[in-house]
Amino acid sequence: MTSPGSDGRSVLLLAHTGRAAATRSAQLVHRSLTEAGLTVRMLASEVDELKLAGCHLDPVEAVGGLDAAEGVELVMVLGGDGTLLRAAEIARPAGAPLLGVNLGHVGFLAEAEREDIGATVRSVVERDYEVEERMTLDVAVYNGGRNATAPPVRTWALNEATLEKANARRMLDMVLEIDGRPLSRWGCDGVVCATPTGSTAHAFSAGGPIVWPEVEALVVAPISAHALFARPIVVSPDSTLAFEIVPETTAGVLWCDGRRMVELPAGARIEVTRADVPVRLARLQRAPFTDRLVAKFALPVAGWRGRSEYDA
């Protein structure tokens, strides 16, 4: 690796290299940060793809692996929520904050839009941002139930852990347990267990509530459940959620953030708890979460006659 910039500052730049907009933006951001004296790191695979697309990125510090974010000031992400979730896998172990520039559709996790990219780079150079922590989930899968002799498969999620049926023609038959006590049995297409961050993603599309980021809680949202008690529920962040696939029924599959997959045979037990390691997000905007909802979902607010600014 090359030595960092004059004052030791470095940024890991990740981009959705399959998007033409991301290719152009990556070149612009790389040049602007480098000219400001910051060292820019990029994944070696992305450097190769961008150079093939005609980008000139010298000098660039090409790195690889899940330790690519070690020692950087932040991880700047150009793309949609999927790209940012990929970046979270790299940033989380290093404790580096993520700063997303949305080049996708809704881009709920992103902090800025493509037209704001110049101002975003200036904010990074001037350290004009705040960092907040978002809770994550630890997920353990016990094949054969809690008393299985094999060690569990462990993974994690920022948005949600989703249990889905593996056979499109058969329902997933499972029992939900909260803090060691059974709550209900569902025949369903699946169930979403989400953080507040993920409440605006898959859980929302499954009929779950939107939870403000500062409210620490876990959301459970069944998907097309055939049961009397199958409404979304919100529980304590300190609770332990367990889902047991009823033995001798159909198998399932677990997806965490739509990226990490674990197969679930009949009889498997899935335990979900709050993780000790959060994901850190860099924030440029001081506007309340309500404004983010209105902007991202294009909510109708015409006719509102309240305060014009945030002052009392």
Side-chain angles (χ1 to χ4, degrees), residues 194-311:
T195 64
T197 301
S199 70
T200 53
H202 197 170
F204 176 68
S205 67
I210 291 178
V211 181
W212 261 234
E214 61 267 25
V215 177
E216 299 200 338
L218 300 176
V219 175
V220 179
I223 304 173
S224 302
H226 292 255
L228 179 63
F229 186 79
R231 300 292 186 184
I233 58 176
V234 180
V235 301
S236 165
D238 298 321
S239 289
T240 297
L241 306 179
F243 306 87
E244 294 189 346
I245 300 179
V246 177
E248 300 178 1
T249 62
T250 188
V253 62
L254 168 73
W255 283 99
C256 288
D257 292 338
R259 294 191 50 80
R260 297 169 290 280
M261 186 271 285
V262 180
E263 294 182 352
L264 305 173
R269 177 183 173 90
I270 303 90
E271 294 185 356
V272 180
T273 56
R274 176 181 182 169
D276 293 332
V277 181
V279 165
R280 307 176 74 217
L281 298 180
R283 289 303 189 203
L284 309 177
Q285 309 293 333
R286 275 70 175 180
F289 183 67
T290 307
D291 288 1
R292 184 178 293 266
L293 286 178
V294 171
K296 295 296 184 179
F297 288 145
L299 300 178
V301 294
W304 178 68
R305 298 176 61 83
R307 295 179 300 176
S308 59
E309 297 294 338
Y310 308 132
D311 37 282

Side-chain angles (χ1 to χ4, degrees), residues 11-19 22-27 30 40-58 60-65 68 75-80 82-90 103 259:
V11 171
L12 175 62
L13 177 62
L14 299 179
H16 187 322
T17 53
R19 294 180 185 271
T23 300
R24 294 189 297 270
S25 298
Q27 188 168 10
H30 172 268
V40 178
R41 293 185 191 174
M42 295 190 70
L43 299 182
S45 58
E46 292 187 1
V47 171
D48 292 340
E49 291 169 0
L50 290 171
K51 286 185 176 179
L52 285 174
C55 286
H56 302 288
L57 299 172
D58 294 328
V60 64
E61 187 173 306
V63 294
V75 178
M76 193 167 178
V77 186
L78 309 177
T83 309
L84 206 145
L85 288 170
R86 174 171 66 92
E89 296 177 340
I90 299 173
L103 303 180
R259 294 191 50 80

